[in-house]
Amino acid sequence: MTDDVATRATAGFRSAYGAEPAGRWAAPGRANLIGEHTDYNDGFVLPFALSLRTVAAAATQPGETWTVWSELTGETVSFGAAEVAAPGRVTGWAAYVAGVVWALREAGHAVSGARLAIASDVPLGSGLSSSAALESAVLAALVDLGGLDLPAERRPRLAQRAENAYVGAPTGIMDQSAAIRCRAGHALFLDCRDESVEHIPFDLDAAGLAMLVVDSRAPHRHADGEYAARRKSCEHGAEQLGVPALRDVDVAGLDDALARLDDDETRRRVRHVVTEDQRVLDTVALLRAGRIREIGPLLTASHASMRDDFEITVPEIDTAVEAALAAGALGARMTGGGFGGCVLALVDAAAAETVAAAVTAAYAERGFTAPGHVTVLPGPGATRLD
Ligand code: GAF
């Protein structure tokens, strides 16, 4: 379809329900500039929103029934109070919607029945957080339709609960925070312990730079199980060190901490998280000082740490990073949970196409499926469109 995503959501609503929606709500996908697997360690992250969005066109309906149409499948799914009484009763893509209804009710909100139609430009399975975009758009719609009292800063936790407890994915707070709290032209510096934020100016254009997003097209291999395993290792490390979370170990105390751990794998996992938190702080300091070009080496160091210590990269991803750097990128790293997904490369604006072509050529040489690429600018968080 070539129509704009909001138009497609409205058209979907009309054809599924034969009526007009009461409004449309949008939430973006995200890229994480730096700070990977630090969120569930109470640490720091620095994501920004993409202009790719998920839109929910919605209206109330009487009773405790929720009906959702998705352009992805062309299918309409309905569920009622019994299905949102406990996690796991709605499965597949509609679980993200049912999970939001469930989490709102769990938090004591009276959620009115609703009809929704979902359209999205956020690609699935590319590590750009299509699930958080869906949860956040649906949450915004249900809050407004029901006149619920739920300020934006309290919404990420609720959307995360939908994903953790209803859908069953043990993710952190970063993606929902990015989808809901980001601002155009800024990266979101989030302290995942107390959820305080600072909007950090991230003006690529003014610096003559571009952010290239390369979709590795690598099949996600065991991503869910590996994510949970990394989380467990981190919790194990924190427990051995006697701290509430790895956030409580700083770089100055890292060598001491590593010496107290009893296996090499945990040592590598802990070293990634502790050094990654510091790289986020260093990146924020450079951006605050307007030294945007200088963040490149921090991005590349983050990638090396994910590859060697956290062990969450795959050959396609490493190839994209190496080829981008060899073609002149100032820095490059995988973004998101890992085992596939996308690479970010910070490049001089004039060099974006050359760097993308170099990545494509390196892929061809190794016989990988051709990658996708696009340049992006930091966009706004979730919003009501009309
Ligand atoms: C996924 C998760 F959903 C986030 O919470 C975060 O842990 C990320 O992987 C890794 O930084 O996107």
Side-chain angles (χ1 to χ4, degrees):
M1 277 193 254
T2 52
D3 277 347
D4 152 75
V5 58
T7 309
R8 294 187 334 250
T10 305
F13 193 96
R14 286 185 186 135
S15 76
Y17 308 119
E20 289 298 308
R24 299 182 296 183
W25 291 260
R30 65 96 189 95
N32 187 20
L33 184 57
I34 196 161
E36 225 64 80
H37 288 261
T38 45
D39 60 352
Y40 56 78
N41 289 297
D42 276 4
F44 306 107
V45 293
L46 192 60
F48 60 95
L50 301 173
S51 56
L52 301 169
R53 299 184 301 179
T54 295
V55 173
T60 55
Q61 68 178 330
E64 294 193 315
T65 304
W66 295 270
T67 310
V68 201
W69 171 89
S70 161
E71 74 169 347
L72 188 69
T73 57
E75 168 192 29
T76 304
V77 175
S78 244
F79 52 86
E83 285 89 356
V84 292
R89 295 188 182 172
V90 177
T91 55
W93 63 268
Y96 293 93
V97 181
V100 170
V101 176
W102 170 82
L104 276 168
R105 287 161 61 103
E106 279 277 304
H109 297 286
V111 191
S112 56
R115 288 164 159 175
L116 303 106
I118 310 291
S120 184
D121 283 337
V122 187
L124 297 190
S126 290
L128 300 177
S129 245
S130 56
S131 54
L134 174 56
E135 291 152 3
S136 304
V138 168
L139 179 57
L142 294 177
V143 165
D144 283 358
L145 288 174
L148 308 179
D149 177 21
L150 190 64
E153 62 274 16
R154 283 182 24 224
R155 294 184 193 185
R157 210 39 101 188
L158 197 134
Q160 182 202 15
R161 192 156 149 66
E163 181 143 353
N164 290 174
Y166 196 94
V167 178
T171 53
I173 191 75
M174 172 170 71
D175 299 346
Q176 293 80 6
S177 300
I180 292 168
R181 303 182 75 184
C182 276
R183 276 195 198 154
H186 295 75
L188 182 81
F189 175 36
L190 170 70
D191 179 334
C192 299
R193 173 161 276 167
D194 64 10
E195 288 184 69
S196 59
V197 301
E198 182 183 339
H199 298 279
I200 308 288
F202 187 45
D203 191 346
L204 291 158
D205 271 348
L209 297 173
M211 187 59 79
L212 183 66
V213 177
V214 176
D215 184 345
S216 72
R217 302 257 160 88
H220 272 247
R221 304 175 183 98
H222 316 298
D224 294 352
E226 294 289 349
Y227 184 96
R230 295 305 179 281
R231 193 166 176 156
K232 254 204 156 84
S233 288
C234 291
E235 283 160 8
H236 175 64
E239 199 180 302
Q240 282 200 343
L241 294 169
V243 290
L246 293 182
R247 146 71 172 280
D248 300 299
V249 181
D250 62 15
V251 164
L254 179 60
D255 285 345
D256 269 3
L258 295 181
R260 285 162 50 213
L261 294 170
D262 61 10
D263 72 287
D264 267 348
E265 186 181 288
T266 311
R267 270 186 213 111
R268 291 197 300 279
R269 306 299 188 245
V270 169
R271 186 165 54 207
H272 166 72
V273 172
V274 173
T275 58
E276 185 78 348
D277 269 335
Q278 187 59 47
R279 283 186 287 271
V280 176
L281 298 177
D282 293 346
T283 303
V284 166
L286 285 172
L287 291 180
R288 278 192 194 124
R291 293 161 60 189
I292 187 167
R293 292 185 74 83
E294 293 171 53
I295 70 171
L298 291 164
L299 306 185
T300 306
S302 167
H303 187 77
S305 180
M306 290 191 286
R307 182 191 60 212
D308 302 336
D309 278 348
F310 222 58
E311 299 176 281
I312 53 173
T313 69
V314 294
E316 291 89 336
I317 288 277
D318 292 332
T319 297
V321 167
E322 280 156 30
L325 292 171
L330 304 173
R333 64 182 292 277
M334 181 181 72
T335 187
F339 305 98
C342 288
V343 161
L344 298 183
L346 182 67
V347 296
D348 280 308
E353 284 308 315
T354 316
V355 172
V359 174
T360 303
Y363 260 55
E365 219 167 87
R366 287 169 182 72
F368 297 149
T369 304
H373 74 269
V374 63
T375 55
V376 297
L377 289 172
T383 179
R384 181 171 187 160
L385 300 178
D386 48 35

